Amino acid sequence: MTKLLTVSLKGRSQIVAGLFSFFLAAILWILVTLSQTYSTQFTLPIKLADVPQGIQVEAISTPELEVNLGGAGTDLIFENIRIKDDSLSVPWENFDENGHVYGLSLQMALRSMISAGINIQEVYPGDVYVTYNQKVSKKVPLMSRVEVNLRSSFQLESTPVLFPDSVEIIGSSVQLDTIHQWFTAEMETPKMGSGVSELTITIEDTISK
């Protein structure tokens, strides 16, 4: 005789109710846990903002800040996502004449970028400084790095001349004191015959690199 295994509807409903209660309790526990206060550390790159055109920044004491923030767990999670790839913009006007910006100014800049519910616990280092110089201009002779190739039986009537024969460069006085000439890009011409009187040559900007 074949026996049939039966499960009462009452038993099944009790299992469903138990699972629902378990997941509801787990969600409530997570929400309560995340609503408590925590602290976390962020690393924020420093970006100088509104640097005057006449200023050449040579170096900065640290490229990034270690920031300790406090707040509810959920707030910190969303804040981490929001500023993950962001940087701390520090206006040039916050630096003093010696190139220093101090902790209060750094915290004010940080306060403007984070959410209201987040507390700033610590910013390290406490101050940042830059070295800078006034930009100056200087005219230096332009030197050719072009190799001219000619077809057989052809020769140059005269030495090729660059026009213009000088360039004006702009940078800090410390940097420009070491530069006494400028060079064209290196290039080699194809073999040329008659009918070619001038070439366009690229001048590389190596100061900005």
Side-chain angles (χ1 to χ4, degrees):
M1 178 184 241
T2 304
K3 294 183 178 181
L4 298 176
L5 179 64
T6 60
V7 179
S8 67
L9 293 176
K10 181 179 179 181
R12 294 178 63 182
S13 63
Q14 288 177 341
I15 293 174
V16 172
L19 289 174
F20 177 78
S21 298
F22 171 77
F23 285 115
L24 180 61
I27 292 172
L28 290 174
W29 178 83
I30 292 173
L31 292 176
V32 170
T33 301
L34 290 179
S35 66
Q36 298 177 11
T37 301
Y38 296 90
S39 62
T40 188
Q41 186 177 76
F42 293 85
T43 299
L44 285 175
I46 297 175
K47 178 183 178 182
L48 302 182
D50 303 323
V51 179
Q53 291 186 353
I55 295 295
Q56 175 77 30
V57 177
E58 305 292 350
I60 186 168
S61 59
T62 177
E64 57 190 22
L65 293 177
E66 297 294 335
V67 178
N68 290 328
L69 302 178
T74 49
D75 292 340
L76 290 177
I77 290 174
F78 288 118
E79 194 70 14
N80 184 28
I81 296 173
R82 192 177 69 83
I83 67 174
K84 179 180 178 182
D85 299 319
D86 210 344
S87 58
L88 180 64
S89 181
V90 183
W92 183 258
E93 63 182 15
N94 289 1
F95 289 83
D96 63 19
E97 60 183 9
N98 296 317
H100 284 77
V101 60
Y102 298 98
L104 181 59
S105 294
L106 292 174
Q107 291 195 25
M108 290 175 61
L110 179 61
R111 180 77 269 168
S112 67
M113 70 175 290
I114 63 175
S115 302
I118 302 296
N119 300 316
I120 302 173
Q121 297 178 335
E122 184 182 12
V123 176
Y124 180 83
D127 65 304
V128 176
Y129 62 91
V130 297
T131 55
Y132 68 95
N133 287 287
Q134 297 289 333
K135 284 184 179 179
V136 296
S137 62
K138 177 181 179 180
K139 183 174 286 189
V140 294
L142 184 61
M143 311 300 292
S144 174
R145 292 192 298 181
V146 178
E147 182 178 346
V148 179
N149 293 315
L150 301 175
R151 295 176 184 172
S152 58
S153 73
F154 283 88
Q155 63 180 11
L156 294 173
E157 294 182 352
S158 60
T159 302
V161 176
L162 291 174
F163 180 82
D165 59 359
S166 63
V167 292
E168 185 177 13
I169 55 178
I170 300 174
S172 71
S173 57
V174 174
Q175 189 177 29
L176 296 189
D177 283 345
T178 64
I179 301 174
H180 305 290
Q181 56 189 1
W182 205 258
F183 294 91
T184 68
E186 288 190 36
M187 66 172 289
E188 184 175 346
T189 69
K191 291 185 176 181
M192 299 184 299
S194 60
V196 178
S197 59
E198 61 182 42
L199 296 171
T200 300
I201 304 171
T202 302
I203 300 175
E204 294 182 335
D205 177 8
T206 56
I207 288 184
S208 301
K209 294 180 180 180

